[in-house]
Amino acid sequence: MSPEQTNLLQGTLDLMILKALALDEMHGLGISRRIEQITKGTFQVKPGSLFPALHRMEESGWLASAWGESENNRRAKYYKLTKAGRRQLGTETERWSRISIAIARALEAS
Amino acid sequence: MRLISRLASFARRIFHGHEVDSDLDAEIQSALALLTDQKIAQGMSPVEARRAAIIELGGVGQVKEEVRAVRTGAWLDSLLQDIRFGFRMLLKSPGFTAVAIITLALGIGANAGVFSMINTLLLRSLPFREPGRLTLLQNFVPPHDSATQFHDWHPQYFSDAAAFEDIDANLSGDRSVIRAHISQTSGNFFSALGTQPVLGHAFAPEDDVNASGLGLPGRNAVVVIGYGLWQELFGGDPKVLGATIRVDGNPLIVIGIAPPGFDYPNKTVVRKPGAFTPGNDGWVAIGRLKSGISLEQAQAAFAVETSRERSATNDRNPRPKMISLRDSLLGPVRLASLLLMGAVALVLLIACTNLAGLLMARTAERAAELSIRAALGASRARLARQLLTECLLLSSAAAVAGLLVASWTISLAAKVEPPPLGAQSYSTLNGPVLIFTILTSIVTAVLFGVLPLLYVTRMHSWGVRARSSVRTRGLRMVHDGLAVAQVTLTIVLLGAAVSVGSAFAHLMRIDRGYNVRGIDTISVSLADTTHQGPGREAAYFEQILDRVRLLPGVRSASATEFLPLYAATFIGGRFGMDGHPAKRPSLMIPIFSDYFQTMGGRILFGREFNNAEVRSGAKVAVVDERFARLFGSPADAVGRQLTISRAPGFVPAGSAIVGVVRAMDYDTDPGVANEPQVFVPSKNPAFSSATVVVRIDGRAEDHLAAIRDTIQSLDPQVPVYSVKTMQQRLNEAFARPSFYRVAIWIFAGFALLLTIIGVYGLLAYGVARRTNEIGVRIALGATQGSVMRMVLWQACWLGCRRSPCLLYQECRGQPDRNRARESRCTNRGCGGGDTRGGGSCCVSTRPPRHASGSRSGPPPRVTRPSVSPSKVIRRSTN
């Protein structure tokens, strides 16, 4: 994978995670399930990339985590957005919509 | 904000690392459990579900490792981990660690020591103001007929110029008389150098006077004494100013104390204002360059000036030269120090090669461990970093130990090659040396760590193959290469050692014009004693000689004012023959009777002085053959007249030449040609001092004390010093080259030792790795003897084939190589074909390849049906 692609995907992954957590707090697997669901299966996040991303974002202060009970009574770590996380979601959303509009225009122009 | 939260998490990990880690573990385990639940819900069996969950997760260990890798300061974590692990690995094999650290410590320590010497000698500045602008004029005597004449001499490129002359003198404070080195200087000496007395004041410019002799009392009867002398004579008493010390009997008033360690020129302990007198050629000039004028410009201007003068007077003296003061102080040691540095660098390089071999072997041994680590999620870069950390641990431990070695090296060096200005001492604990040591240890670690690193990076990500099959040709080539590099470097160093040694042996074997063995020498100075006075000194020395000649074991005795090897003070002048002046000045050496007989000199024509001639101060002279040759055949010189053009007061003129002798070696530097020599009877010793020389039957050392006591008993008040055999004086004079020779020998010996250990290690390792193969050979009928022969033969082969000369031969061309290989194949039947660049240790359960075919492309793996493996093995073990 070339570095550009990684960056793009990393940016995408961050946005997806932020978006997934926008409504409610969730544990790691829940997040990946939610992302699959909201993108209608386009994005499948592997745990191998999900967990590093979660920890990175927590370190950046966008996410906060706490232990809780899962739906089937298992202990799981729940993540939720912090204030900074919400702000970040705002900026990221704006950035992505700008980019997608620009790309859409570019593709239409031909 | 983001930074703060990152730092906070970093801090949490530092202080609660364990909690953070178990938290992560719990998180991943819970995710695994949830995933498993999910799979079970989808209908899988629990075992299957768990397996599928692990696969989907991508491995618990790997995920954890990836999470750790994205955290802030992950590098620090892994570094600490690497260091901990490195420590454990090193402690696990204490033998290897000890050998490695000792090897490196010696290498790094010797380097740091020599660097510290060079740093002090060549790199650090002199304790003068703007030392780079100070110059010394070599082979040049400034105008000195009077003080005014000197001060009027003011070349336009100098902002200031000073002059000095240094001599030995008798020195007395309140107590006994000692012999010391003193100098007389022009009044501006201190200001020209840009230094100040720490106590009192320096001379005033008008302090230097015109005088017709050395050290006359008068208005210049003041001295600035050295710091050490102040401590020694006056116990550092600040009230010393105004006290009187006597230099050669003249009372002089102390007006200042020089800064500690300031002993320029030539370890001077006392400086007095100059007494300028015509005909004294001992003055040396130093100058401070005007700002804006470079040394090169000044040199050019000086050369033009002097060459004009030289051609006008038809001067054949060595050409005057302007050099920087630093070069004048360090000239003789620069090359030798750099040579030494090169030698120790080679030693360190050999030590690195040695360790590289050892580490390489160790890394191969650790292949299993490394592949497990790789399987557990360590990236190749991570493994490489781990190995490099181990190397750095080794080398930094060695650097610490090396500093001890360095301080030992330095204390040794300081004895033989003391720093030229006492203010500067060799020290290990200063910035540049420490930085050098640290850098050396890092470079060293990289040097000996690079091979194991390459090994790891070439490792397949799924791990290396099992140990017994790691027999890649690349690895073997590297091993052979290391052994060869070591041997080659050692040969280079040994070669250097041998050549330095033989140069030194040559230096000691040189014909000096006298016989060093069996001579005792004892110096006596009559300055400031009751025996000083016209005619009385010579009589006193005659008395000494009369007594000494009666001692048992003494074959003959004489005395001279200047011994061979002592050319510090030039006394002489422009002598000539029958009124024709010589083109070069000659050294004048006043001697007593029997001098040549005692010294073992060779009289070529005529005779030496007899007793009566010396006593009466007859106008006779003996010249050396070079002087005689300036005026024709040496044989014709006897009977002619010795004349002098510009006569200083104490040089006799119009003496009859009674003998021609072989020149004696008066200069310690073999590169400097001796001046022609003129020997005259010592009627009135110029410095009231002379050295008694005694030829002994038997060992010179045994009689030294008896002779000294005899001389001392004549008058205990007279200072008797430098009680040494001639051999001792010679050794002292050549202490420096001898030191360098010994140092190089030690380094070469050390290199040899390292190489032997290293090559042994490599070979032993090579054999150990071939255990299986050797087992097969023995099973197929090879005897123990033949296996041993094979190993030995291959070791020799490694040595011979890879020695530099053969390496050269081999590089010369393909045809040679092929021919060599073919002949090898026919000789040995096997193994020879397997040598693509380095394969002496043939590992051939494989059949031989075609000689010409193995050169290019991947080695063919086809078995030639006509040769069976067992046959090959049996043949190769024959």
Side-chain angles (χ1 to χ4, degrees):
Chain A
M1 217 183 267
S2 74
E4 290 82 357
Q5 253 176 324
T6 321
N7 288 341
L8 179 68
L9 288 177
Q10 187 185 325
T12 327
L13 181 59
D14 284 8
L15 179 59
M16 287 298 144
I17 292 173
L18 289 171
K19 183 77 191 163
L21 289 171
L23 293 179
D24 199 6
E25 59 171 28
M26 244 176 254
H27 58 70
L29 278 187
I31 296 172
S32 82
R33 248 180 265 146
R34 174 91 179 137
I35 291 174
E36 214 175 316
Q37 193 187 340
I38 57 180
T39 60
K40 308 241 167 12
T42 310
F43 281 99
Q44 288 181 344
V45 187
K46 291 241 168 70
S49 14
L50 178 72
F51 284 103
L54 285 175
H55 281 262
R56 182 167 41 74
M57 291 165 75
E58 189 183 4
E59 280 205 337
S60 303
W62 300 336
L63 304 183
S65 67
W67 286 96
E69 292 276 310
S70 76
E71 51 269 40
N72 42 8
N73 294 331
R74 284 210 184 263
R75 250 168 68 83
K77 203 169 194 184
Y78 279 79
Y79 291 87
K80 63 176 183 196
L81 287 189
T82 60
K83 269 187 194 160
R86 285 197 191 284
R87 270 203 305 277
Q88 183 67 17
L89 177 58
T91 25
E92 290 273 306
T93 315
E94 198 190 330
R95 194 165 67 91
W96 268 100
S97 36
R98 263 208 324 270
I99 291 174
S100 60
I101 291 169
I103 289 178
R105 277 190 195 139
L107 292 177
E108 281 162 15
S110 62
Chain B
M1 172 67 204
R2 217 172 132 178
L3 184 70
I4 292 170
S5 92
R6 282 190 172 200
L7 284 179
S9 108
F10 179 61
R12 202 161 69 86
R13 260 206 341 281
I14 296 268
F15 297 114
H16 307 280
H18 190 68
E19 279 170 43
V20 172
D21 221 50
S22 58
D23 196 62
L24 174 64
D25 188 54
E27 183 179 0
I28 306 296
Q29 291 296 347
S30 100
L32 183 64
L34 287 171
L35 207 57
T36 315
D37 287 351
Q38 194 182 325
K39 305 274 178 202
I40 292 174
Q42 284 165 8
M44 288 187 183
S45 75
V47 176
E48 222 178 313
R50 186 169 167 78
R51 190 171 160 270
I54 290 178
I55 291 172
E56 191 177 326
L57 204 65
V60 176
Q62 279 87 335
V63 174
K64 273 158 71 179
E65 197 51 45
E66 276 175 54
V67 171
R68 286 191 201 112
V70 299
R71 284 168 167 173
T72 310
W75 58 270
L76 190 69
D77 273 353
S78 63
L79 181 70
L80 290 174
Q81 198 187 352
D82 283 353
I83 290 176
R84 274 198 303 274
F85 185 75
F87 261 122
R88 280 208 294 274
M89 285 310 289
L90 293 181
L91 288 181
K92 237 174 75 183
S93 41
F96 163 81
T97 309
V99 168
I101 290 183
I102 291 173
T103 306
L104 274 183
L106 287 172
I108 294 179
N111 270 276
V114 173
F115 175 78
S116 156
M117 244 178 99
I118 286 186
N119 180 45
T120 309
L121 290 177
L122 305 183
L123 304 178
R124 265 161 79 181
S125 59
L126 305 172
F128 306 133
R129 178 168 50 85
E130 291 185 79
R133 306 206 65 76
L134 289 170
T135 60
L136 179 102
L137 304 181
Q138 275 183 331
N139 308 325
F140 175 80
V141 184
H144 56 270
D145 287 352
S146 69
T148 332
Q149 195 195 26
F150 173 72
H151 289 296
D152 286 346
W153 171 72
H154 208 242
Q156 77 280 3
Y157 35 80
F158 284 155
S159 63
D160 205 356
F164 63 82
E165 181 187 26
D166 55 313
I167 48 172
D168 282 335
N170 278 5
L171 203 70
S172 59
D174 300 335
R175 290 169 291 153
S176 60
V177 183
I178 54 167
R179 195 74 182 157
H181 204 66
I182 71 159
S183 59
Q184 57 169 339
T185 67
S186 61
N188 60 346
F189 183 70
F190 281 86
S191 63
L193 282 176
T195 181
Q196 279 298 317
V198 285
L199 196 69
H201 57 89
F203 313 125
E206 61 276 11
D207 271 345
D208 32 43
V209 294
N210 306 326
S212 55
L214 297 173
L216 281 192
R219 59 177 285 223
N220 70 333
V222 290
V223 281
V224 172
I225 64 174
Y227 195 89
L229 188 70
W230 177 44
Q231 298 291 331
E232 198 181 312
L233 280 188
F234 300 99
D237 183 4
K239 291 199 287 282
V240 68
L241 299 180
T244 303
I245 63 166
R246 297 168 76 85
V247 173
D248 280 350
N250 302 310
L252 303 173
I253 295 161
V254 177
I255 59 162
I257 311 292
F262 176 52
D263 61 357
Y264 188 77
N266 255 329
K267 306 204 182 346
T268 289
V269 297
V270 166
R271 289 173 199 81
K272 57 197 255 0
F276 287 90
T277 164
N280 176 13
D281 282 353
W283 288 101
V284 177
I286 50 172
R288 180 176 284 283
L289 294 175
K290 266 185 192 158
S291 58
I293 291 180
S294 71
L295 180 63
E296 290 73 26
Q297 288 170 323
Q299 277 169 332
F302 179 68
V304 169
E305 246 169 57
T306 50
S307 63
R308 201 185 307 134
E309 210 168 293
R310 276 162 67 83
S311 54
T313 56
N314 204 5
D315 191 346
R316 289 294 178 86
N317 281 320
R319 184 174 290 280
K321 225 166 76 186
M322 178 190 289
I323 57 171
S324 73
L325 188 64
R326 182 195 296 275
D327 286 349
S328 82
L329 287 171
L330 307 177
V333 295
R334 177 187 299 263
L335 189 69
S337 311
L338 292 179
L339 181 72
L340 219 52
M341 192 77 225
V344 286
L346 271 185
V347 170
L348 188 60
L349 208 56
I350 292 170
C352 284
T353 338
N354 216 343
L355 270 191
L358 280 176
L359 270 180
M360 187 74 185
R362 241 169 74 90
T363 313
E365 296 297 318
R366 282 169 62 183
E369 175 217 323
L370 292 173
S371 32
I372 289 173
R373 284 161 60 81
L376 285 176
S379 65
R380 257 181 269 177
R382 182 67 212 282
L383 287 184
R385 216 160 58 209
Q386 161 72 46
L387 288 181
L388 192 61
T389 311
E390 278 175 38
C391 295
L392 278 171
L393 273 181
L394 270 183
S395 74
S396 27
V400 173
L403 283 179
L404 292 178
V405 178
S407 62
W408 176 75
T409 316
I410 285 167
S411 64
L412 200 73
K415 282 197 194 112
V416 198
E417 187 62 79
L421 288 162
Q424 310 182 335
S425 54
Y426 301 133
S427 91
T428 36
L429 291 177
N430 66 26
V433 175
L434 287 181
I435 289 173
F436 174 84
T437 311
I438 291 168
L439 285 182
T440 311
S441 73
I442 292 174
V443 169
T444 310
V446 171
L447 274 182
F448 68 74
V450 70
L451 284 176
L453 288 190
L454 282 178
Y455 179 78
V456 168
T457 44
R458 283 179 58 185
M459 213 168 72
H460 295 293
S461 53
W462 62 83
V464 274
R465 289 162 284 167
R467 199 190 121 199
S468 58
S469 63
V470 183
R471 196 181 281 154
T472 57
R473 197 172 51 220
L475 197 63
R476 218 169 51 231
M477 267 173 66
V478 167
H479 273 129
D480 291 356
L482 283 177
V484 170
Q486 275 189 357
V487 172
T488 313
L489 287 174
T490 308
I491 288 173
V492 168
L493 204 52
L494 282 178
V498 167
S499 95
V500 168
S502 70
F504 185 77
H506 176 71
L507 194 65
M508 297 309 276
R509 266 202 314 269
I510 263 175
D511 178 14
R512 302 183 191 285
Y514 59 90
N515 182 359
V516 179
R517 290 178 192 285
I519 301 181
D520 282 332
T521 65
I522 293 165
S523 300
V524 178
S525 174
L526 300 177
D528 196 15
T529 66
T530 50
H531 308 286
Q532 201 180 13
R536 276 152 68 190
E537 289 121 335
Y540 188 79
F541 285 114
E542 291 290 353
Q543 261 183 328
I544 291 177
L545 291 180
D546 287 344
R547 287 199 181 192
V548 170
R549 280 170 183 149
L550 293 178
L551 287 175
V554 171
R555 203 189 298 167
S556 70
S558 181
T560 176
E561 287 184 39
F562 306 121
L563 263 188
L565 304 176
Y566 177 81
T569 312
F570 178 83
I571 290 290
R574 199 142 304 172
F575 288 92
M577 216 186 265
D578 295 337
H580 304 291
K583 289 180 177 113
R584 325 167 40 181
S586 310
L587 202 60
M588 187 191 77
I589 304 148
I591 55 170
F592 286 75
S593 55
D594 291 347
Y595 181 66
F596 295 99
Q597 186 196 338
T598 309
M599 290 299 286
R602 261 161 291 158
I603 299 169
L604 302 173
F605 305 101
R607 57 175 179 88
E608 65 174 306
F609 309 134
N610 58 38
N611 238 334
E613 281 166 338
V614 175
R615 266 169 212 219
S616 63
K619 287 197 160 191
V620 285
V622 169
V623 297
D624 83 324
E625 54 178 330
R626 267 171 313 171
F627 181 83
R629 204 167 283 137
L630 293 175
F631 303 94
S633 159
D636 303 336
V638 178
R640 293 170 76 180
Q641 281 276 310
L642 182 76
T643 52
I644 182 154
S645 50
R646 264 166 54 194
F650 46 84
V651 177
S655 305
I657 296 171
V658 297
V660 177
V661 295
R662 185 99 170 81
M664 287 200 189
D665 197 1
Y666 269 78
D667 210 309
T668 50
D669 187 348
V672 172
N674 279 303
E675 283 97 2
Q677 294 157 4
V678 171
F679 298 86
V680 296
S682 183
K683 176 65 181 155
N684 294 310
F687 296 114
S688 326
S689 65
T691 302
V692 176
V693 291
V694 185
R695 177 152 295 277
I696 300 294
D697 283 323
R699 274 165 50 89
E701 291 85 351
D702 301 341
H703 294 78
L704 214 45
I707 299 169
R708 185 198 56 211
D709 293 344
T710 308
I711 297 174
Q712 199 109 59
S713 67
L714 200 55
D715 181 351
Q717 288 302 307
V718 171
V720 171
Y721 54 96
S722 292
V723 183
K724 291 166 189 169
T725 66
M726 196 65 208
Q727 185 68 52
Q728 281 168 341
R729 283 181 190 258
L730 190 71
N731 291 347
E732 279 169 23
F734 291 98
R736 182 183 282 169
S738 153
F739 163 68
Y740 287 115
R741 175 190 57 127
V742 170
I744 296 246
W745 273 104
I746 288 176
F747 292 144
F750 182 48
L752 188 63
L753 188 70
L754 280 180
T755 303
I756 290 171
I757 295 172
V759 171
Y760 165 77
L762 288 170
L763 286 177
Y765 174 68
V767 171
R769 289 165 65 83
R770 294 173 60 195
T771 311
N772 289 357
E773 175 212 334
I774 291 171
V776 171
R777 282 170 189 267
I778 289 173
L780 287 173
T783 62
Q784 196 182 2
S786 67
V787 169
M788 281 168 79
R789 259 204 311 282
M790 172 191 76
V791 170
L792 261 182
W793 198 89
Q794 282 171 358
C796 296
W797 186 237
L798 179 70
C800 308
R801 189 177 132 82
R802 287 287 142 189
S803 67
C805 54
L806 287 170
L807 209 63
Y808 166 74
Q809 198 179 27
E810 203 168 270
C811 294
R812 277 172 57 196
Q814 196 75 15
D816 275 2
R817 197 194 301 259
N818 279 342
R819 213 175 302 132
R821 188 176 294 113
E822 271 155 32
S823 68
R824 256 193 336 265
C825 284
T826 38
N827 287 343
R828 290 186 58 223
C830 157
D834 187 43
T835 51
R836 193 189 178 193
S840 61
C841 303
C842 84
V843 193
S844 279
T845 41
R846 242 187 268 151
R849 294 182 212 111
H850 247 312
S852 51
S854 68
R855 197 47 220 166
S856 57
R861 300 224 168 224
V862 279
T863 307
R864 282 170 68 198
S866 60
V867 185
S868 81
S870 61
K871 205 168 152 195
V872 167
I873 291 166
R874 242 177 284 127
R875 257 163 67 190
S876 76
T877 51
N878 281 342

